[in-house]
Amino acid sequence: MSAEVLNGREIREEILKDIEDETARIAQEHGRVPGLVTVLVGNKPASRSYITNKVNTAKRVGFKEVQESLPETISEQELLSLIDRYNKDESIDGILVQLPLPEHIDETKVIYALDPDKDVDGFHPVNIGRLVLGGDQVKFTPCTPAGIQEMIKRAGVPTSGAEVVVVGRSNIVGKPIATLMMQKGEGGNATVTTVHTGTKDLAGHCRRADILIVAAGKPGLVQPEWIKPGACVIDVGVNRVGEKISKKTGKTVAILRGDIDYDAISEIAGFITPVPGGVGPMTITMLMRNTLNSLKYRLGLIRPGQQ
Ligand code: NAP
């Protein structure tokens, strides 16, 4: 058996096209486009590359995008004041602060300072609370979990009554995807188990999974013997395992691997996501969707729970 590969790049193109069309339509009918401000503190190459990607995608779909590139030495108070300014700016629907922040800035304080109604990353405790409450409370779902659920839905993998096992319990991936999959409704209603380093029989739990979502950050952790034949295996892990020279650009680029033994597992699973090109492209796509939804809430075009 050879698993169907869920191609995140293809799904991204379909969704971004829809977002672009809807943005143009809203601009025509309401004279307003979604506004996204990206905030980068310092100049870490990985953070800069993530931000560039977000900015380029926002431009591509026709959003108003504002870039704040701040020196590493900016004080916490200056950053909080900047966030306050964008919280009040009527032309801005989404504020994204690229993490991690330098050590002298308290990340929790910064996340709490965001207006929850502009928190398009979905990391503010109010939005986490809304997600747990579910249904018509949900405004912004964190982007990577939202992207994972979207891939599963589009693949037509049944989730209602399915055994879902999530490897990892981080606040940005493990906990929110476990919450999403257990919620009543389309793309959820699953029986969810979350496993972590305290779990006694990791392999045994994984073997029960109709849908296995792996977000551990450990290259090659999940072995082929752990996979139920025909299961849907979503590999969230992105691990830099070396470097190579890109044939396209001639530049040195990282060699990336996921958390699963991809080649062997693709012979057993029914569906599988590659790394790179699987979950990765979905994350920024969902950020764009959240930003568009933020404007749609503001204009009264949708209500929470309808995203
Ligand atoms: P994280 O905060 O480090 O959390 C990792 C989780 O995995 C923890 O809960 C940890 O358990 C668990 N874990 C680690 N090793 C394990 C093991 N041997 N057995 C069982 N559980 C284990 O990581 P994260 O932020 O969730 O990210 C996970 C991976 O996804 C990383 O590779 C990251 O780069 C990637 N990622 C990708 C995207 C994307 O857009 N594609 C987005 C976000 C993250 P404990 O809690 O017990 O320590």
Side-chain angles (χ1 to χ4, degrees), residues 215-246:
K218 295 283 176 298
L221 171 71
V222 173
Q223 297 300 304
E225 313 82 75
W226 301 11
I227 305 299
K228 182 174 177 176
C232 173
V233 182
I234 307 286
D235 188 357
V236 190
V238 179
N239 306 290
R240 287 164 190 258
V241 294
E243 288 183 339
K244 62 179 180 183
I245 306 291
S246 161

Side-chain angles (χ1 to χ4, degrees), residues 144 167-170 172-173 195-198 202 215-218 221 236-239 259 279-280 283:
T144 302
V167 184
R169 56 178 163 188
S170 71
I172 62 165
V173 189
V195 297
H196 41 75
T197 57
L202 196 61
K218 295 283 176 298
L221 171 71
V236 190
V238 179
N239 306 290
D259 286 348
V279 173
T283 299

Side-chain angles (χ1 to χ4, degrees), residues 29-287:
E29 290 170 10
H30 300 271
R32 178 90 157 68
V33 295
L36 175 68
V37 56
T38 56
V39 181
L40 174 67
V41 181
N43 207 3
K44 279 204 179 95
S47 294
R48 179 156 289 285
S49 143
Y50 291 137
I51 282 279
T52 306
N53 235 325
K54 288 166 188 172
V55 167
N56 288 342
T57 311
K59 278 185 191 161
R60 181 192 147 177
V61 293
F63 290 1
K64 167 184 165 165
E65 54 79 32
V66 179
Q67 293 170 59
E68 290 286 355
S69 206
L70 309 167
E72 178 95 20
T73 50
I74 191 171
S75 72
E76 185 179 278
Q77 194 45 53
E78 283 170 306
L79 180 58
L80 293 174
S81 302
L82 183 98
I83 289 173
D84 186 50
R85 178 149 65 77
Y86 286 112
N87 280 343
K88 293 175 180 148
D89 184 334
E90 287 296 318
S91 71
I92 293 298
D93 303 290
I95 305 170
L96 177 129
V97 181
Q98 187 63 47
L99 302 178
L101 292 168
E103 270 185 12
H104 67 278
I105 300 178
D106 182 345
E107 265 179 24
T108 307
K109 241 188 197 170
V110 171
I111 293 172
Y112 271 73
L114 294 168
D115 176 349
D117 290 339
K118 295 190 178 186
D119 165 42
V120 285
D121 252 342
F123 292 161
H124 192 287
V126 166
N127 284 317
I128 302 287
R130 288 169 169 164
L131 186 75
V132 173
L133 292 170
D136 63 5
Q137 299 293 309
V138 183
K139 247 191 146 172
F140 302 116
T141 302
C143 302
T144 302
I148 295 168
Q149 191 182 39
E150 186 68 33
M151 290 184 108
I152 296 170
K153 276 196 213 168
R154 285 179 181 244
V157 175
T159 58
S160 187
E163 292 278 345
V164 172
V165 175
V166 178
V167 184
R169 56 178 163 188
S170 71
N171 290 336
I172 62 165
V173 189
K175 281 181 199 161
I177 188 61
T179 304
L180 273 181
M181 298 308 294
M182 80 168 74
Q183 296 291 17
K184 229 172 193 174
E186 198 209 338
N189 215 26
T191 303
V192 181
T193 306
T194 303
V195 297
H196 41 75
T197 57
T199 299
K200 282 191 185 131
D201 181 12
L202 196 61
H205 286 288
C206 292
R207 249 181 238 121
R208 280 191 293 105
D210 300 308
I211 300 172
L212 179 63
I213 300 167
V214 191
K218 295 283 176 298
L221 171 71
V222 173
Q223 297 300 304
E225 313 82 75
W226 301 11
I227 305 299
K228 182 174 177 176
C232 173
V233 182
I234 307 286
D235 188 357
V236 190
V238 179
N239 306 290
R240 287 164 190 258
V241 294
E243 288 183 339
K244 62 179 180 183
I245 306 291
S246 161
K247 281 185 195 152
K248 241 190 194 169
T249 62
K251 287 186 184 161
T252 304
V253 291
I255 300 172
L256 301 179
R257 263 192 80 191
D259 286 348
I260 68 168
D261 180 349
Y262 181 84
D263 290 342
I265 289 176
S266 56
E267 293 303 314
I268 302 162
F271 299 87
I272 196 164
T273 60
V275 176
V279 173
M282 298 298 291
T283 299
I284 293 182
T285 308
M286 293 297 123
L287 177 72

